[in-house]
Every structure is written in structure tokens, then in C-alpha cells.
Amino acid sequence: MGIKIVSTGSYLPDKVLTNFDLERMVDTSDEWITTRTGIRERRISEVETTSDMATEAAVRALGESSPEEVELIVVATATPDAFFPSTACKVQAKIENKGAIAFDVSAACTGFIYGLYVADSIMRSKGVSKALVIGAERFSKIVNWKDRSTCILFGDGAGAVYLETSDEEGILGFDLGADGSYGELLAVPSVGSNEEFPYYVRMKGNEVFKVAVRTMVDSALRVLEKTGLSPKDISLLIPHQANLRIIRAIAERLGLPEEKVFVNLDRYGNTSAASIPIALDEALRSGRLKKGELALLVAFGGGFTWGSCVIKV
Ligand code: COA
């Protein structure tokens, strides 16, 4: 038995916040942001909650498939609507499903790969045949809009994949891990800590940068080794959309040319756990990734966490 990504969907809020808008909010410039990150604009959710965005992405991924038949809903998010109920339970209610297993996964920007891994494992071992895995974030709510070193990076949005058991294998392998000793380099405290509200993203950007490149390259190489593949077998690298310089460094070390690397961070910034499923959806819809081709997904995030996955679409 295999597991296939049957369909995908994504949702981005309408409001666009450009680098020029940010120039009026903090001491920065379009030139600085574009050169250092590749980001030109990002989307900001004014009214949609994380679960609203997750639901819209899920509905688009489901297409004509019946929400009632979904047996498992996993939402990867660092910005849930509530401590509980989970975002997954909120999505479940909004798509009018009853009875599916539903829970959230917390692994920051690597959350979607972690979620995919958990769903894949449950489907293979517990006889679940239809699952939604969603990455959804409203980072605009946890960004300090006075901190120019972080507020320029993030955006809001959601992406979803619909998985079914299948005769064909669509999920070829994973590499996941974490190293909690790096926790303080990229963090958002919350109520369980001794820190005071408001809780904002804090980050040592240049230290994160170096570890991110090394860790994602290592993880990508490990998943290729585990699946018996080499970079030349990969039609499209879909990396977490954090920084264009990070993406280029990874592609260069894997020996992948620009046309084999998917980038949309210029339009959306870093949407954390939503970035890979949004990118995957866009890659499929635009024809950058075609039926039967292999894609390498690779992510890195707070924790630090990392994850890679090879899929055949
Ligand atoms: N506009 C203008 N100047 C800025 C700025 C901004 N938005 N943010 C920081 N600066 C300044 C700094 O204050 C510093 O000034 P100084 O030299 O006078 O002290 C200078 O720019 C360089 O700062 P530095 O942090 O060293 O820049 P950098 O080249 O490392 O780029 C990041 C900063 C955040 C873009 C980069 O480190 C990065 O992308 N890191 C990874 C972050 C990430 O992806 N996190 C999520 C991982 S999932």
C-alpha cells in the first residue's frame, strides 16, 4: 500500500503589505529587504483567523471530494486561534466533518513536514485512508511591528494537501529531526514561560541563517540517500520560503539549477508552516511540477527542527 497526495489547495489573504509600506513603519528600505531576503511583499490577514485560512485551503484541496469521508486532520501551526480547541478541530467543524482524528502539530516552520510524517505514519499503521494535512499561520499577530529585524520577514496564509491510500507510492521517504539546544535563537514565548505578554517573535537572524543552510542541506542529502535518489532525479526542490539567499545556498550545494527550485517568497514572505504547502500547490497548479515527477520538500524552523520529504506527484 502507498500513500498519494491526491490534491492540494492554498489560501492567501487579500491585503498586500509591500516593502515600501514597511519603509513607512520602521527604519528600513525596499532595497535592504530585497537584497538580504528576496522578499518584496507579504500577505496580511485582517479578519481571517488561522482556522479560517486553514479551512479555505482545505476546502480547495478537497475539491469535489467529500469532507465527511476525511478520517484524519492534522494542522501544523505556531499561531493557532486558541490553545484549545485545536485548529484542526476548528477546521473539522467548519468543513462539517464528524469523527475524524484531529489535532495540531507544533514544529514551527518545519510543521508541515512533521504533520505529513505523522499523517503518513498513522495512515500506514492504523488503516486510515483519507487525510488532510494543513499548514496555516497568522504570523502578523506575533510579529513586533516595531522590530525591523523580524517584521519584514513574515506573512500570513495557508496550504493543504489531501492524502489517500493508493496502489501507487506518492510519499517516498522522510528525514526529520530536532536540536532543542538552539531554542533561544528563534523563539516566541507563551503563557507557560515566565516571560511577560505580549509575546513576539525574537530571532538572532544571522546565527539562524548559518545553521539553516547547513541543516537543510544535510537533511536533504539524508532523505535522498534513504530513498536511493540523487539530486538529478529531482524535478523540483520546494524549500521552506524563509530567505532567497538560504534557498540559493541550498540549491547550489545540492547542485540544482535555478529552474529546478521553486520560489514564491518574493510575494508571500515567510509563512512558516504554511510555506511548503502553499508552494507545492502553486507548483502543481502552474505546471512547474507535473504528474509523475519527483519533488524534494525541505524545511527548517524554530526548535531547531528540520525535515525533508521526497514525493512523487
Ligand atoms: N532594514 C535595514 N537594516 C536592518 C534591518 C532592516 N529591516 N534589519 C536589520 N538591519 C541592520 C542591522 O541592525 C545591522 O546593522 P549594523 O550592522 O549597523 O548592526 C545590519 O542590518 C546587518 O544585520 P544582520 O542581522 O547581520 O543582517 P543579515 O545579513 O544577517 O540579514 C536577516 C538579516 C534576518 C535577513 C538574515 O539574517 C536572515 O534571513 N536570517 C535567517 C532568518 C530566518 O530565515 N528565520 C526563519 C527561519 S525558519
Side-chain angles (χ1 to χ4, degrees), residues 27-29 32-33 36-37 109 148-149 152-154 186 203 205-206 208-209 240 242-243 245-246 270 300-301:
D27 180 13
T28 191
S29 67
W32 192 96
I33 301 171
R36 303 278 177 134
T37 71
C109 302
R148 68 176 182 172
S149 69
I152 56 146
L153 297 171
F154 297 97
L186 175 54
M203 179 178 70
N206 42 18
V208 174
F209 190 102
H240 170 48
N243 182 311
R245 289 187 295 142
I246 295 180
N270 179 347
F300 174 86

Side-chain angles (χ1 to χ4, degrees), residues 179-199:
D179 185 344
S181 67
Y182 287 107
E184 286 305 306
L185 295 186
L186 175 54
V188 184
S190 185
V191 289
S193 75
N194 292 323
E195 311 242 353
E196 285 188 15
F197 190 79
Y199 306 122

